[in-house]
Amino acid sequence: LDGSMDEDFIHIAGLVQFGSFSWINMLPESIVVGISNIDRKHDFTYPTNNKKDKKDFPTTGGSAKFIQSLEKEIQPFITKNYRITGSKTLIGQSLGGLLATEILFKKPTLFDHYIIVSPSLWWDDESLLKMTPVTFQQQKSIYIAVGKEGPTMERVAKELYHKLDIKEKKNYTLHFKFLEALDHGDTLHLAVYNAFEALFKQKK
């Protein structure tokens, strides 16, 4: 997500290239799909009842349509036109992390691996954190990270981790990392590298 050339595509692609080198061998051969947006405040948010949210984000509320486009248009296009294995990873930060969490909770079958960085779970008075995620029928891996980003951002990321960190979990692995030396502006790069290492690197 946030995958245009002037957003996160280049450095995520660079991490994938580095992790795929034979002498690093951290990642399987991968295709990086960058999804750019015209209005991320619309695409990444579900409708809110919070007055301040509505004032600050006047175009809000389009995530359901965006998720539908992922499922009905983008994924089928990739499947039809590229050689894939079927293993799919979603990376989202900030509002993108909010969307990634919404997909994980509501339509988890769309992806196998979720890398959720600095998620804006304060949205709509933290209503997503009050939801019970649907049962994961297939094996998942989930990586959550947050930097030194203020009490609210740090708390909601940790609450997401604790919500998922239940004794009964059987179909997913869960990781959490607090990157206290980084902030909201520079957490993504190191968080994604650490996530790739935690989720994909084969132990020797």
Side-chain angles (χ1 to χ4, degrees):
L1 304 172
D2 291 312
S4 70
M5 293 296 286
D6 61 350
E7 294 175 310
D8 298 330
F9 181 83
I10 291 177
H11 73 93
I12 295 297
L15 288 172
V16 171
Q17 180 194 37
F18 178 79
S20 301
F21 286 143
S22 60
W23 58 92
I24 303 298
N25 197 27
M26 181 168 63
L27 288 172
E29 185 178 8
S30 303
I31 297 170
V32 181
V33 180
I35 305 171
S36 60
N37 0 7
I38 297 172
D39 182 359
R40 69 193 299 273
K41 293 179 180 180
H42 174 267
D43 293 340
F44 292 170
T45 60
Y46 51 89
T48 178
N49 292 308
N50 183 286
K51 291 182 180 179
K52 188 176 187 303
D53 291 348
K54 291 179 180 180
K55 180 181 178 181
D56 294 342
F57 296 71
T59 61
T60 183
S63 65
K65 188 174 181 179
F66 189 84
I67 294 169
Q68 184 180 43
S69 73
L70 281 172
E71 181 179 17
K72 304 296 185 182
E73 299 177 38
I74 297 172
Q75 288 190 349
F77 177 84
I78 299 300
T79 300
K80 180 179 179 181
N81 291 282
Y82 296 91
R83 179 173 56 87
I84 63 170
T85 64
S87 178
K88 303 178 184 74
T89 302
L90 179 64
I91 303 172
Q93 182 201 26
S94 195
L95 287 178
L98 174 70
L99 182 75
T101 305
E102 183 181 1
I103 295 172
L104 175 66
F105 278 22
K106 297 178 180 179
K107 303 209 75 171
T109 57
L110 288 184
F111 296 92
D112 306 285
H113 312 286
Y114 287 81
I115 300 174
I116 300 170
V117 182
S118 309
S120 298
L121 293 167
W122 47 263
W123 180 256
D124 187 35
D125 299 316
E126 304 175 20
S127 61
L128 201 55
L129 285 172
K130 300 168 188 174
M131 283 186 58
T132 299
V134 299
T135 303
F136 304 148
Q137 300 294 338
Q138 300 168 315
Q139 184 68 35
K140 305 285 171 196
S141 58
I142 304 163
Y143 186 96
I144 303 163
V146 68
K148 191 73 174 176
E149 305 181 41
T152 299
M153 290 293 289
E154 294 166 30
R155 176 180 56 79
V156 294
K158 291 173 184 177
E159 286 188 16
L160 175 61
Y161 169 74
H162 290 303
K163 186 177 185 69
L164 294 168
D165 189 28
I166 55 175
K167 293 180 181 179
E168 295 79 11
K169 70 175 187 289
K170 297 179 181 178
N171 294 335
Y172 60 98
T173 59
L174 181 65
H175 306 265
F176 178 84
K177 185 71 172 180
F178 178 43
L179 298 166
E180 59 185 331
L182 304 178
D183 60 29
H184 195 71
D186 59 3
T187 298
L188 181 66
H189 194 97
L190 184 57
V192 172
Y193 182 90
N194 290 343
F196 285 167
E197 190 170 48
L199 302 186
F200 300 111
K201 189 168 186 178
Q202 298 294 319
K203 295 181 179 179
K204 296 181 180 179

